[in-house]
Amino acid sequence: MPRHTLMLRDAPTPAAGDRLTITGDEAKHAIRVKRVRAGDSLTILDGEGLLAHAHAEDARRDLVVVIDRVERVEPTSPRIEVFAAAPKGQRFEQMVDSCAQVGAHGVVPIETDFGVVEPGANKMQRAHRVAEEASKQSGRAWLLCVGEQIAFDEALAGEGVRVLCDADAPPYRPSGAEEIRLLVGPEGGWSPAERERAEAAGAMRASFGVHTMRIEVAAPSACAIALHLEHAQR
């Protein structure tokens, strides 16, 4: 199995037989932390569908790798986006990390009636870094997208199936749709007005567990359950 995964964004697309010299933090982490050595297998991602299989030729100062073969990977289907009220502190980053690992296409914070957090520029920058690290750690060929905060009604106006995550609703049932938006509310829940607007917009309501969960647990859990049930139906 590959010893390490590298994320090389905005780099020229490699081809089989290419020799790449990797420097900077990626090389240091691979050599000093992951203890990659000459001959070890590596995976290289670009966050846009590239999956390159390679091996280390030199791992002393810089990391020199040789590309063995390259493939293009399609995005996960169905495409599930998580639109969630942002939790406090580092819990927002934890939510992004977990959503990347379970296979969400993207995470977008939303404004809600009972929400108390508006993610600022620093929080969003950290979230983007976490998304890249989590995508690399989990070996996903497509980088998790993190969007800027939008209004609740904007999330409802999207394409595809829209699902209001609600503990009082029936369990989620697969829809067979190719695009699914999961709306996860704040810890104070959805307001009556939000429930009414969601119903008027044609959103379905569904539950994803037997207990009340914090946002950073509820969002990736709902995504994982929806993906599993959708795949099981196909």
Side-chain angles (χ1 to χ4, degrees):
M1 293 181 64
R3 284 284 304 277
H4 188 54
T5 299
L6 303 168
M7 179 74 74
L8 301 181
R9 304 193 66 200
D10 303 320
T13 301
D18 284 355
R19 180 176 284 99
L20 307 179
T21 299
I22 300 168
T23 61
D25 291 340
E26 280 288 338
K28 290 178 182 177
H29 185 72
I31 296 169
R32 298 178 183 178
V33 179
K34 292 296 185 177
R35 304 292 182 183
V36 172
R37 296 294 179 261
D40 286 346
S41 296
L42 301 166
T43 299
I44 297 176
L45 311 170
D46 70 352
E48 297 181 354
L50 173 78
L51 181 60
H53 304 272
H55 66 273
E57 185 177 73
D58 190 347
R60 288 171 292 183
R61 175 176 293 182
D62 296 329
L63 181 61
V64 180
V65 304
V66 177
I67 305 299
D68 298 318
R69 61 185 177 91
V70 176
E71 59 181 302
R72 283 285 173 183
V73 179
E74 293 296 319
T76 300
S77 180
R79 168 180 167 145
I80 294 186
E81 293 183 290
V82 175
F83 289 72
K88 295 179 180 179
Q90 294 183 346
R91 291 165 51 203
F92 179 63
E93 296 159 38
Q94 294 170 12
M95 181 181 74
V96 170
D97 187 313
S98 298
C99 284
Q101 293 184 55
V102 301
H105 173 81
V107 171
V108 180
I110 57 174
E111 300 170 2
T112 62
D113 291 345
F114 297 151
V116 296
V117 176
E118 182 175 344
N122 289 337
K123 183 182 285 288
M124 293 302 294
Q125 288 176 2
R126 291 195 298 271
H128 283 289
R129 289 197 297 270
V130 167
E132 183 167 323
E133 286 299 317
S135 296
K136 181 173 70 173
Q137 180 273 328
S138 57
R140 52 183 288 165
W142 289 86
L143 184 69
L144 174 85
C145 302
V146 180
E148 297 296 323
Q149 188 176 53
I150 65 173
F152 174 74
D153 290 329
E154 289 184 75
L156 286 175
E159 297 294 328
V161 171
R162 288 142 296 159
V163 181
L164 194 74
C165 299
D166 189 343
D168 296 328
Y172 180 83
R173 299 183 64 181
S175 65
E178 287 300 321
E179 294 190 14
I180 300 170
R181 285 190 171 194
L182 300 178
L183 280 71
V184 181
E187 292 177 4
W190 301 112
S191 70
E194 287 170 333
R195 291 174 187 269
E196 290 177 5
R197 300 206 300 276
E199 183 178 359
M204 61 181 286
R205 294 169 54 235
S207 61
F208 292 87
V210 296
H211 299 296
T212 300
M213 293 177 275
R214 288 177 173 162
I215 306 169
E216 69 274 19
V217 175
S221 295
C223 181
I225 291 170
L227 270 175
H228 174 74
L229 292 177
E230 294 290 343
H231 285 169
Q233 177 179 269
R234 301 181 182 198

